[in-house]
Structures are given as structure tokens and as C-alpha cells.
Amino acid sequence: MLSVFLIALLAVGFFIIGFMLRKYPVEERTKKATKPLSFIIDLSPLIGIIVFSILFACILKGRLLERVTHAILVFGIWMYATKFYCYILAHFKTKWVLISCIIGMLYSIGLAVFFTPLDRYVEALYSFTDWYSILLGCGLLIVFYTITIITVISKGIAGYKER
């Protein structure tokens, strides 16, 4: 139960920070680094699906449901850590953003490292939630892309108003 709470806390924190950051402009100095990184983050689910499909079809045998839910959850947590890093690069001059995103990135990395071994994931989360943990992983991805889409739309409207 504690694991579900910790993951939900990560999603809520990411949602709040991401929603608040949509009003702040990206630093000009870091646009060269943040644009490609954001593009890679946005394409990573497609790359992940290809890689995991090959792994599950050819290499990993047995415990398929546990492995799929584990892959989605840990993948989502790593995406949060990467996006927090992107936020740090894009808004490094704003002190509250810097501090909150560093905390969020370290928290995400800690959760990802904790859940990465499959046996620990099964013991801490899967044994409690069973196959419903796929909903938790998909929920993480939905929150992630909701914030990404809201940010893109609000930046697009702001960019349109400046013209």
C-alpha cells in the first residue's frame, strides 16, 4: 500500500510542478539542450514498445504479466526523472523550480532504483495489486502526457499571442 502511495505522490507532484511551469518561459541558453531531450522523451514510448516487444518475444520467458507491468511502471518513473531534469535545464534561474525539480528527480530516481529488480517489485507492489499495477503504470504515463500536452498547448497559445 505504501508503494502505491509513493507512486501517486510522484504523479501528483509532477502534475503540480508541470502545471505551474506552463506559465514560465524556457531559458534561451538551454533551448538547444532541452528541445532534443524533450523530443526523445516524447518518442521514448514508441522505442520502448519496440524494445520490450523484442525482449518479451525472444528473450524473456515466463512471468509475462509481472514483467509487462514492471516494465511499464519503471519506464514511467524513469520518464518522470528525465522530464524533471529537462525542467531543471529549462528553468534553472527560478529558485523554487530548481529546488522542487531536483527533489522530484532524486525522488523519481530513488523509486526507479527501488522498483527495478523484478523480485523486489513483485514483493513490494505486484503481490498487493496483482495485475492492477498496470493501471498504476498507465496512470503515470497518462499524467505525464497530460502535462506535456497542456504545456505544449499553453506555450503555443502564448507564442501565438506574442506575434
Side-chain angles (χ1 to χ4, degrees), residues 30 93 114:
T30 60
K93 288 186 178 178
F114 178 76

Side-chain angles (χ1 to χ4, degrees), residues 23-43:
K23 297 182 277 185
Y24 290 89
V26 175
E27 294 293 329
E28 290 295 324
R29 274 183 27 193
T30 60
K31 277 191 177 179
K32 287 184 179 179
T34 56
K35 275 195 173 188
L37 186 59
S38 291
F39 182 71
I40 291 170
I41 292 170
D42 295 341
L43 279 183

Side-chain angles (χ1 to χ4, degrees), residues 95-153:
K95 193 169 190 153
W96 76 267
V97 174
L98 187 65
I99 292 170
S100 61
C101 288
I102 287 173
I103 291 169
M105 184 179 70
L106 293 175
Y107 183 71
S108 300
I109 291 171
L111 278 177
V113 167
F114 178 76
F115 285 121
T116 293
L118 183 64
D119 292 334
R120 188 178 304 150
Y121 163 77
V122 169
E123 181 183 317
L125 187 67
Y126 190 81
S127 62
F128 174 72
T129 59
D130 203 38
W131 67 272
Y132 293 110
S133 60
I134 197 164
L135 298 175
L136 191 60
C138 290
L140 280 176
L141 294 176
I142 288 170
V143 169
F144 181 86
Y145 282 108
T146 301
I147 286 298
T148 302
I149 290 169
I150 288 172
T151 303
V152 167
I153 290 172

